[in-house]
Amino acid sequence: MWRSTAVRLMLAALVIFSGLLLPAAAQMSSQQGDSRTAGPEALEVRRAGDLYREGNLDEALRRLRGFVIRNPHSPWREQAYLYLSRIFHDRNSCDEALLYLDRLEQESDADMAELVRGSCLVQAGRYAQALEHLLPLRESDLEGSDRALLLGRIGQARAALGQPLQALVSLNQAAELDKYPERWLGEAHRTLRDADNPVLEEASFMLRGRAVGQDADLQLAQRAADANQNDRALSLLSRIMADPTPFPYRDQARSLLARIDGGSTVSRNALGVVLPLSGRYESFGELVRRGMDLALELHHQGGDSSPRLIYRDSGVDAARASDAVATLAGAEGVMAVAGPLTGEASRSAALQAQRLGVPLVSLSPRAGLPEVGDFVFRNSLTNEQQARTLAGYAVEDLNLYRFAILAPEEGQGRELADLFAAQVEQKGGRVVTRQDYPPDLTDFRVQIKRLLGQDPNAPAPQARGEKPSPPPFDALLIPDYAEMIGLIAPQLAYYDLTDVQLLGINGWNSPQLLERAGRFVEGAIFVDGFFADSPDPIVREFVSLYRETYGDEPSILEAQAFDTAGLLLYLLGRPDVANREDLRRALASLRNYPGVTGNLFVDDLGEIRRELFLIHVEQGAFIQIDRERNRALPMPLDF
């Protein structure tokens, strides 16, 4: 052993006593020790802070943005900036978080600002610089989830800098403080899996009786089993099973134990699929099944008839989805799982897949899924992808810098509006005005006149015989669906709001847009993850094959399913993919897979990304904007 027993005991004592000394959980104070008078501005910021702490990030963000626009010289502007930076940090938008931190001039909340800055630097991969900000905060008054974040980020940075033992100590402390310890245990899991055996032995000794110590034993058992040292593996696994400490990878240990004892094995040619094949989302599940079956049929036509898809019904039940993943990974022995579609079911399935160590490619746009762990990936169009693409094209290609937003007062509309505003600001533009409307509204007069800076109750300039003033913006985003655009677009024209670029989301990609809005959306641009009328040869071939097979038009659901099954089948056919860990690594390294939704690549988080389709309304038809869409065969992977 490369470290002495005395040092080990000293480190163990450090872990025990530091755990005892950590303070109890608390949240960021709305007062923050500020002595200013609690006037209307203070109450407004505090209310937004309360919403943040309650988890209502969308509403908190909306109120804080409105506050800083309306009150450019308020003494509470600094507190608003700090809350804004924390909200964007919590939504994994660190570029935006740092923008607000850089606006801070006072040091009334230096610890919190340093925590957010250091955390963002870790996420940006600037580990040494992050530690310069984070390590001094160990002596601060940060408590609860904030201290857990501090310790967790220190652990991540130290792991990346080649200090695994110190990293594991910090990650263990973070997990024990956090109400939701999964992410820190996941970071510890990755650190342990990459560590050498002496480090695993040290971690097992230092953290015995804790989840991270259990995980160290699991990694040692896995390596012993791979080396055919079954007695050693069984001894370690028995110790794990005898320890009642809550341990997120216990099912993985149980599966390894069953394998050593002659239980089920993994079938290299089996893929599991979890979909809502009954209940209110059954029709969507069947569309996804069509896309996957079509990909499998094509794969078989290529000469390899061995792969198979095993479907399990998740219904609308999160627990049922989790059980389906467990059955597929255990009794069925699949190499990977695709699905589910709905939010709660997808998170439950992702947590189970991570626990069992089986790669899962989720098809849900629910936020936070890839963050569950390194076995979880996602292939779905997200609001963040749409906002990023639209803002980038509008600012960088069209040279537009002044934007307005007209958004429905519901979850997706608000989120898209917020994300778009943040992306525009990051690229040098700005949202000069925004109006929200109830989802069931039919008369948009008030919102449109306010966008134009007019009194909603005053007669329109035309009625007064005056020439209307030009709008104070160059483009207008409406993150709603085609049916509502059919109501809104004619009213925009009625109030002479015609000389601006209309921007839309994937909900515009429907024949209803042309049927209901017609000439009023001529020249509009919207974004989508799939365009069935694309001139791209791969898309045309897929659409033609789908029509021949099913007699119908494919949607984005079938297209994403086709790509998901196709890339998994492609990876299974590679000689260097022999087990689930090989497949996980191959997925994490995927680049330039030529899918019908674009060239697919996997980012560092596990998100499967591509260049989205930008679509122009031109002479009463949808036309794909001519942008370079390079195609390439999947690149070989170097491990």
Side-chain angles (χ1 to χ4, degrees):
M1 192 66 65
W2 55 272
R3 193 180 294 270
S4 71
T5 302
V7 173
R8 290 195 316 211
L9 291 172
M10 198 160 60
L11 285 170
L14 171 64
V15 174
I16 295 169
F17 287 116
S18 60
L20 293 173
L21 292 173
L22 288 173
Q27 294 296 330
M28 184 164 52
S29 165
S30 62
Q31 179 66 20
Q32 300 290 342
D34 202 306
S35 60
R36 288 165 288 184
T37 303
E41 294 178 4
L43 292 174
E44 187 174 356
V45 173
R46 289 178 185 174
R47 178 55 187 146
D50 290 340
L51 289 166
Y52 165 73
R53 287 185 292 278
E54 292 164 4
N56 193 344
L57 302 191
D58 290 341
E59 182 63 18
L61 182 63
R62 186 182 72 82
R63 293 193 182 205
L64 289 165
R65 275 194 163 143
F67 176 84
V68 298
I69 290 172
R70 294 191 308 272
N71 303 281
H73 305 297
S74 170
W76 283 88
R77 189 178 175 92
E78 294 279 310
Q79 186 67 54
Y81 281 153
L82 186 56
Y83 276 126
L84 284 165
S85 71
R86 188 65 189 262
I87 290 171
F88 280 112
H89 165 274
D90 291 357
R91 294 171 68 162
N92 296 311
S93 299
C94 272
D95 289 341
E96 288 83 359
L98 291 172
L99 282 174
Y100 283 106
L101 285 179
D102 290 341
R103 296 178 183 177
L104 294 174
E105 297 176 358
Q106 302 175 13
E107 296 295 328
S108 59
D109 237 330
D111 287 348
M112 184 56 62
E114 284 292 278
L115 174 61
V116 175
R117 189 179 299 278
S119 179
C120 285
L121 289 171
V122 170
Q123 294 185 68
R126 294 155 62 182
Y127 304 111
Q129 187 179 354
L131 287 180
E132 292 176 5
H133 292 270
L134 295 174
L135 289 177
L137 294 177
R138 291 179 300 180
E139 307 301 323
S140 71
D141 293 330
L142 293 172
E143 296 182 347
S145 60
D146 292 331
R147 182 158 289 273
L149 177 63
L150 169 65
L151 293 166
R153 293 303 192 207
I154 288 174
Q156 286 180 279
R158 282 182 157 163
L161 294 172
Q163 303 166 14
L165 284 173
Q166 296 95 320
L168 291 167
V169 170
S170 292
L171 291 168
N172 177 76
Q173 293 171 340
E176 292 183 346
L177 276 176
D178 206 323
K179 183 179 179 182
Y180 303 102
E182 292 88 359
R183 63 169 168 170
W184 307 125
L185 295 177
E187 291 294 337
H189 184 69
R190 285 184 279 276
T191 302
L192 288 164
R193 198 177 54 221
D194 294 337
D196 56 27
N197 278 9
V199 171
L200 293 180
E201 296 283 2
E202 289 290 315
S204 171
F205 174 80
M206 291 165 52
L207 299 168
R208 186 71 47 82
R210 298 170 185 219
V212 176
Q214 295 271 65
D215 201 349
D217 283 343
L218 174 60
Q219 301 307 315
L220 288 167
Q222 179 69 63
R223 295 181 190 188
D226 291 344
N228 293 319
Q229 299 171 358
N230 286 348
D231 288 344
R232 166 70 169 155
L234 286 171
S235 174
L236 289 162
L237 291 168
S238 297
R239 186 162 74 193
I240 292 172
M241 294 304 168
D243 190 334
T245 303
F247 173 45
Y249 303 97
R250 187 175 295 277
D251 287 339
Q252 193 170 330
R254 188 177 292 113
S255 296
L256 179 58
L257 183 61
R259 192 186 83 189
I260 294 173
D261 283 342
S264 62
T265 58
V266 175
S267 171
R268 192 174 182 278
N269 293 309
L271 292 172
V273 186
V274 180
L275 294 172
L277 300 175
S278 63
R280 66 180 182 271
Y281 299 119
E282 177 182 358
S283 60
F284 299 111
E286 290 296 340
L287 291 178
V288 171
R289 186 170 188 161
R290 282 184 175 186
M292 292 199 162
D293 285 346
L294 192 58
L296 182 64
E297 180 183 339
L298 281 179
H299 190 83
H300 287 168
Q301 290 176 8
D304 184 3
S305 61
S306 53
R308 58 198 174 99
L309 299 176
I310 303 174
Y311 288 94
R312 289 291 180 269
D313 181 14
S314 64
V316 295
D317 189 345
R320 192 172 173 185
S322 177
D323 290 344
V325 171
T327 300
L328 289 166
E332 301 291 352
V334 300
M335 281 281 281
V337 178
L341 279 177
T342 58
E344 286 302 319
S346 291
R347 177 158 180 83
S348 178
L351 290 169
Q352 183 71 285
Q354 185 66 30
R355 281 193 292 267
L356 297 175
V358 57
L360 179 138
V361 181
S362 177
L363 302 173
S364 168
R366 173 172 175 153
L369 288 176
E371 291 89 337
V372 166
D374 56 347
F375 276 88
V376 180
F377 302 82
R378 190 239 301 277
N379 186 23
S380 179
L381 178 66
T382 65
N383 291 337
E384 184 272 336
Q385 293 169 9
Q386 294 190 70
R388 184 182 297 273
T389 299
L390 267 179
Y393 185 73
V395 176
E396 297 164 2
D397 292 60
L398 301 181
N399 296 316
L400 303 175
Y401 294 94
R402 300 179 306 160
F403 295 86
I405 298 175
L406 182 59
E409 292 175 336
E410 49 80 31
Q412 184 185 27
R414 285 178 173 173
E415 183 179 25
L416 275 160
D418 292 340
L419 290 168
F420 180 78
Q423 288 293 325
V424 162
E425 185 173 344
Q426 184 179 337
K427 296 177 186 302
R430 62 192 181 99
V431 174
V432 297
T433 181
R434 169 177 170 175
Q435 289 293 314
D436 295 344
Y437 56 85
D440 57 352
L441 191 66
T442 57
D443 181 359
F444 296 86
R445 173 182 59 86
V446 171
Q447 286 77 11
I448 293 172
K449 295 185 79 172
R450 284 178 175 165
L451 285 176
L452 293 167
Q454 300 173 5
D455 182 351
N457 298 314
Q462 304 93 310
R464 300 195 302 265
E466 302 172 4
K467 183 179 180 180
S469 301
F473 46 87
D474 307 310
L476 172 63
L477 170 71
I478 311 177
D480 211 331
Y481 289 86
E483 181 179 1
M484 290 300 291
I485 306 305
L487 291 173
I488 296 171
Q491 295 184 52
L492 295 175
Y494 179 80
Y495 290 101
D496 280 328
L497 189 45
T498 56
D499 223 7
V500 297
Q501 176 65 61
L502 291 182
L503 301 173
I505 61 170
N506 68 316
W508 289 36
N509 191 6
S510 166
Q512 285 192 37
L513 186 75
L514 300 177
E515 294 167 4
R516 294 171 178 262
R519 61 188 176 88
F520 300 110
V521 291
E522 183 71 19
I525 294 171
F526 60 90
V527 67
D528 205 347
F530 176 68
F531 182 44
D533 293 325
S534 170
D536 189 308
I538 292 181
V539 177
R540 294 175 65 179
E541 185 65 27
F542 165 72
V543 172
S544 175
L545 182 61
Y546 188 91
R547 287 171 179 162
E548 291 175 9
T549 306
Y550 299 111
D552 205 350
E553 293 291 318
S555 71
I556 190 172
L557 286 176
E558 297 99 306
Q560 287 178 165
F562 181 86
D563 280 349
T564 300
L567 69 87
L568 286 171
L569 291 166
Y570 156 70
L571 292 175
L572 285 186
R574 286 183 15 182
D576 57 336
V577 176
N579 52 50
R580 289 170 176 169
E581 174 60 18
D582 290 342
L583 181 56
R584 182 200 67 79
R585 294 170 64 194
L587 271 168
S589 304
L590 187 72
R591 301 291 184 274
N592 290 335
Y593 177 84
V596 299
T597 58
N599 272 9
L600 306 182
F601 69 94
V602 177
D603 67 15
D604 292 340
L605 196 60
E607 198 82 63
I608 298 177
R609 295 186 176 272
R610 80 280 287 156
E611 179 183 309
L612 301 186
F613 293 84
L614 282 159
I615 303 162
H616 188 227
V617 182
E618 186 176 326
Q619 297 182 2
F622 294 156
I623 306 297
Q624 182 180 332
I625 292 175
D626 186 16
R627 303 178 78 194
E628 188 81 22
R629 296 179 65 84
N630 295 321
R631 292 287 180 184
L633 291 176
M635 294 167 58
L637 308 181
D638 297 322
F639 293 137

